[in-house]
Amino acid sequence: MGPIAGLAFHPIRGTLASASWDGSVKVWDLYKRDGNSAPETFENGADVVCVAFRPDGNQLCSGTIRGLLRFWNVEDGSLICEIDGQKDIKGGRKINDRMTADNNASSRYFTSIAYSADGTCLLAGGNSK
């Protein structure tokens, strides 16, 4: 397990989701009495820096350092869909501009995500100029 980058409480149940630099999101049941129970794990393939539950608690969104937003079904752990947002936050650049750290798209990713109150929209913000 890598360092924890983000936490989110389930809006209804007593569970907590943790986003980790090891590329996983783990959902922990806070009220389980059994000390041997393992958390449910959602593998992302890249460091995860933010996580959020939809207000109805049925969906979880994770954001990685590759600019991916992944949407998960909380009940069965399946991946619903993903959005590659790296192109959306990379900023403008002309074809003949030199590549620098400031305009490199690989350093741009979402660091914060939040669902709207009705759960129909997701707002994401992060490292971009």
Side-chain angles (χ1 to χ4, degrees):
M1 177 181 252
I4 302 299
L7 296 170
F9 283 100
H10 191 282
I12 301 167
R13 287 187 256 152
T15 55
L16 176 72
S18 62
S20 176
W21 286 2
D22 68 0
S24 69
V25 171
K26 296 186 186 303
V27 178
W28 307 83
D29 187 342
L30 300 176
Y31 297 112
K32 259 196 181 161
R33 302 255 182 216
D34 181 11
N36 297 328
S37 62
E40 185 173 1
T41 303
F42 302 87
E43 291 296 335
N44 284 269
D47 297 1
V48 184
V49 292
C50 52
V51 65
F53 280 103
R54 193 170 67 187
D56 65 4
N58 295 328
Q59 193 177 84
L60 177 78
C61 181
S62 59
T64 71
I65 62 166
R66 292 192 183 142
L68 285 176
L69 295 175
R70 291 186 155 193
F71 297 86
W72 303 90
N73 182 319
V74 174
E75 292 303 316
D76 63 12
S78 64
L79 180 64
I80 299 168
C81 67
E82 63 183 22
I83 297 172
D84 184 356
Q86 198 169 42
K87 292 181 178 126
D88 296 330
I89 58 175
K90 78 176 186 179
R93 201 178 102 213
K94 294 181 181 174
I95 192 88
N96 57 357
D97 285 347
R98 206 174 278 179
M99 180 67 72
T100 67
D102 286 339
N103 64 13
N104 184 358
S106 66
S107 65
R108 314 269 170 105
Y109 52 89
F110 299 111
T111 57
S112 180
I113 53 178
Y115 279 93
S116 62
D118 62 0
T120 58
C121 297
L122 181 81
L123 179 64
N127 294 340
S128 66
K129 291 186 179 186

